[in-house]
């Protein structure tokens, strides 16, 4: 369902161009849970952001469900991001003074108003935070904040979750609880692409893709 073909990404570096990604080719099947691992600066986030339509490639193509996503105009690429992709990051980006429910409802501005609260409540239930639904963002632990961020990422029922170091800011035990949650969402059918430099969590995934200096490593 995700196919990356001959992908290159160059960043300007003075008068030169710095290649952050070099000739990346990969396929990720529907329902797979894949980890992309590699050292800091190897291009993991760049690749994830391109798959999610947050950043554009310099060359190459990304197909999602057969659609070349960079052939979409700006309005349709936002629609692609909103409907098909959920993003989870290392930092949670919650509104600290909004409640859990309000934070999770934020992406639903385009949904019918009478279904917003129900959808948000369902997502909050899935991440196991119903008992904290009225608490404010700044009243939660790190693990709970990441659960809220995950609820917000799944509230539009995307088929793909792109997770960039979702455990990077959490202690090991809490990290494992977040990985268990991602695994449960994967078992429900979500395709998950996880970027991490933490090898501790690889037992949760179906497949590991290694990247180094912007290139895939063939095992
Ligand atoms: P990783 O996620 O593996 O740590 P990144 O994808 O963040 O790696 O970065 C890959 C390389 O591209 C790094 O050398 C980084 O400094 C560079 N880079 C990332 N984003 C930008 C940017 N917006 N402008 C210039 N260089 C960037
Ligand atoms: P913390 O961030 O406090 O270390 P976790 O991130 O593991 O803890 O869990 C956050 C909260 O959600 C805790 O109060 C925990 O009891 C609760 N919790 C975790 N998993 C579930 C679940 N599957 N169902 C209901 N509640 C859960």
């Amino acid at each position: 369902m995700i196919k990356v073909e001959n992908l290159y990404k160059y960043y300007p570096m003075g008068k030169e161009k710095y290649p952050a990604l070099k000739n990346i080719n990969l396929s990720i099947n529907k329902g797979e849970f894949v980890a992309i691992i590699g050292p800091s600066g190897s291009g993991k986030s760049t690749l994830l952001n391109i798959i999610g339509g947050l950043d554009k490639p310099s060359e190459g193509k990304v197909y999602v469900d057969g659609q070349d996503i960079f052939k979409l105009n700006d309005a349709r690429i936002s629609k692609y991001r909103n409907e098909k992709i959920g993003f989870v990051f290392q930092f949670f980006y919650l509104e600290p003074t909004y409640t859990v429910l309000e934070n999770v409802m934020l992406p639903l501005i385009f949904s019918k108003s009478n279904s917003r609260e129900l959808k948000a409540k369902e997502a909050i239930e899935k991440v196991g935070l119903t008992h904290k639904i009225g608490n404010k963002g700044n009243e939660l632990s790190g693990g709970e904040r990441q659960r809220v961020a995950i609820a917000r990422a799944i509230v539009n029922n995307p088929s793909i979750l792109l997770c960039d170091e979702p455990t990077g800011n959490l202690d090991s035990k809490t990290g494992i609880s977040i990985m268990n949650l991602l695994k449960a969402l994967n078992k429900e059918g979500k395709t998950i692409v996880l970027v991490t430099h933490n090898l501790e969590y690889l037992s949760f995934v179906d497949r590991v893709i290694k990247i180094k200096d912007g290139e895939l490593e063939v095992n």
Side-chain angles (χ1 to χ4, degrees):
M1 67 155 0
I2 301 171
K3 195 164 167 51
V4 175
E5 274 184 12
N6 308 325
L7 189 81
Y8 290 78
K9 178 68 180 182
Y10 302 104
Y11 287 116
M13 191 176 61
K15 285 181 185 168
E16 306 289 302
K17 290 192 297 181
Y18 173 78
L21 294 174
K22 295 178 255 185
N23 197 25
I24 303 287
N25 287 280
L26 61 87
S27 293
I28 296 170
N29 295 324
K30 190 171 164 56
E32 249 194 312
F33 191 170
V34 169
I36 300 176
I37 65 163
S40 185
S42 55
K44 304 183 296 296
S45 298
T46 302
L47 178 57
L48 202 72
N49 289 344
I50 290 174
I51 291 171
L54 289 176
D55 199 356
K56 287 196 164 128
S58 305
E59 288 173 40
K61 296 197 187 294
V62 175
Y63 297 95
V64 176
D65 295 336
Q67 170 71 53
D68 177 349
I69 61 171
F70 297 106
K71 284 219 169 113
L72 300 172
N73 62 28
D74 285 354
R76 289 188 60 212
I77 206 156
S78 328
K79 192 165 146 59
Y80 160 76
R81 275 199 303 267
N82 289 329
E83 292 179 356
K84 226 167 227 187
I85 308 284
F87 293 97
V88 180
F89 300 101
Q90 175 174 2
F91 301 102
F92 320 119
Y93 305 115
L94 303 186
E95 290 291 338
T97 64
Y98 284 22
T99 64
V100 168
L101 182 64
E102 287 163 347
N103 269 286
V104 176
M105 284 172 70
L106 283 176
L108 296 174
I109 41 173
F110 301 113
S111 299
K112 280 200 201 102
S113 57
N114 58 4
S115 67
R116 282 180 204 154
E117 197 164 310
L118 182 66
K119 282 184 178 170
K121 284 181 172 166
E122 280 172 4
I124 292 163
E125 165 114 53
K126 274 198 182 158
V127 303
L129 271 188
T130 301
H131 60 299
K132 294 278 168 92
I133 197 161
N135 285 76
K136 296 204 166 88
N138 59 16
E139 296 168 347
L140 305 174
S141 71
E144 289 169 345
R145 287 176 202 205
Q146 191 58 295
R147 285 174 190 275
V148 178
I150 293 170
R152 192 182 51 193
I154 62 173
V155 73
N156 271 317
N157 199 23
S159 50
I160 302 171
L161 270 187
L162 301 179
C163 308
D164 195 347
E165 303 275 9
T167 58
N169 211 22
L170 303 175
D171 64 70
S172 172
K173 182 174 153 283
T174 309
I176 286 172
S177 81
I178 293 300
M179 289 302 299
N180 272 312
L181 172 58
L182 293 178
K183 188 76 198 168
L185 294 172
N186 171 246
K187 287 209 170 119
E188 281 181 17
K190 298 217 185 291
T191 304
I192 304 189
V193 187
L194 164 76
V195 156
T196 184
H197 63 256
N198 194 334
L199 308 183
E200 192 184 345
Y201 304 122
L202 296 185
S203 58
F204 288 88
V205 309
D206 301 325
R207 181 158 61 105
V208 177
I209 295 172
K210 292 184 188 163
I211 185 166
K212 195 180 169 193
D213 298 331
E215 289 184 281
L216 293 192
E217 276 189 18
V218 185
N219 340 339

